[in-house]
Amino acid sequence: MTPQRQRVLALFERIGEGSHLGAEEVHQRLLRAQERVSLATVYRTLRLLSGMGLLQELELPEGGRRFELAGDAHRDHHHLVCVRCGRTEEFENAEVLEAGNQAAAGFGFRLVECVLNVRALCPSCTAAETA
Ligand SMILES: [Zn+2]
Ligand SMILES: [Zn+2]
């Protein structure tokens, strides 16, 4: 693994499971930690690490992406994402996982990841809309 990949992975390990960071946030944090790295490199590294299964990618409604550590105990969880402010909450649901498993098995696929992304409006954005 290249030093850059190690640094990005180390950053995610420091902040721990369940934190979702966009490429720009990762870049900012690396710069603050005196790491000299370009945003393009951060993008490339994030894509590589999620391809290797070390990070989990979360697609946001506005076409953005966030990444988080893909720990074994933290892989199969789902996301509730506010479409206005991007607030992200996690939840687990065994039925969703079971549905994914059954669908995969039905077509003879081997399940790699089963994630449900729910788009919603958080309470404060709902309040702002009705105000
Ligand atoms: Zn998550
Ligand atoms: Zn919101």
Side-chain angles (χ1 to χ4, degrees), residues 7 11 14 27-36:
R7 275 196 286 267
L11 168 70
R14 270 202 306 279
H27 189 224
Q28 287 304 318
R29 280 168 187 252
L30 289 174
L31 292 182
R32 249 180 279 143
Q34 314 293 325
E35 312 271 11
R36 292 168 165 274

Side-chain angles (χ1 to χ4, degrees), residues 62-74:
E62 324 83 63
R65 269 158 218 286
R66 292 215 197 124
F67 296 84
E68 68 180 305
L69 207 55
D72 276 341
H74 195 67

Side-chain angles (χ1 to χ4, degrees), residues 82-87 120-126:
C82 178
V83 295
R84 258 181 70 150
C85 70
R87 177 178 160 191
L121 273 176
C122 76
S124 51
C125 288
T126 303

Side-chain angles (χ1 to χ4, degrees), residues 7-9 16 21 29 33 51 53 55 81 97-98 102-103 106 108 112 126:
R7 275 196 286 267
V8 171
L9 199 58
L21 294 185
R29 280 168 187 252
L55 292 181
V81 183
L97 189 58
E98 183 53 34
Q102 277 182 16
V112 176
T126 303

Side-chain angles (χ1 to χ4, degrees), residues 20-114:
H20 310 82
L21 294 185
E24 267 130 57
E25 277 170 285
V26 171
H27 189 224
Q28 287 304 318
R29 280 168 187 252
L30 289 174
L31 292 182
R32 249 180 279 143
Q34 314 293 325
E35 312 271 11
R36 292 168 165 274
V37 58
S38 72
L39 184 58
T41 302
V42 171
Y43 272 112
R44 204 170 45 239
T45 306
L46 288 170
R47 223 167 298 134
L48 272 165
L49 288 171
S50 57
M52 293 164 80
L54 296 168
L55 292 181
Q56 186 177 319
E57 200 170 326
L58 160 65
E59 241 171 287
L60 294 181
E62 324 83 63
R65 269 158 218 286
R66 292 215 197 124
F67 296 84
E68 68 180 305
L69 207 55
D72 276 341
H74 195 67
R75 198 177 292 270
D76 293 308
H77 64 278
H78 311 291
H79 297 106
L80 189 61
V81 183
C82 178
V83 295
R84 258 181 70 150
C85 70
R87 177 178 160 191
T88 303
E89 299 294 340
E90 301 188 327
F91 64 97
E92 286 183 25
N93 187 305
E95 281 88 14
V96 172
L97 189 58
E98 183 53 34
N101 265 317
Q102 277 182 16
F107 289 98
F109 284 30
R110 186 177 63 87
L111 192 73
V112 176
E113 184 187 83
C114 179

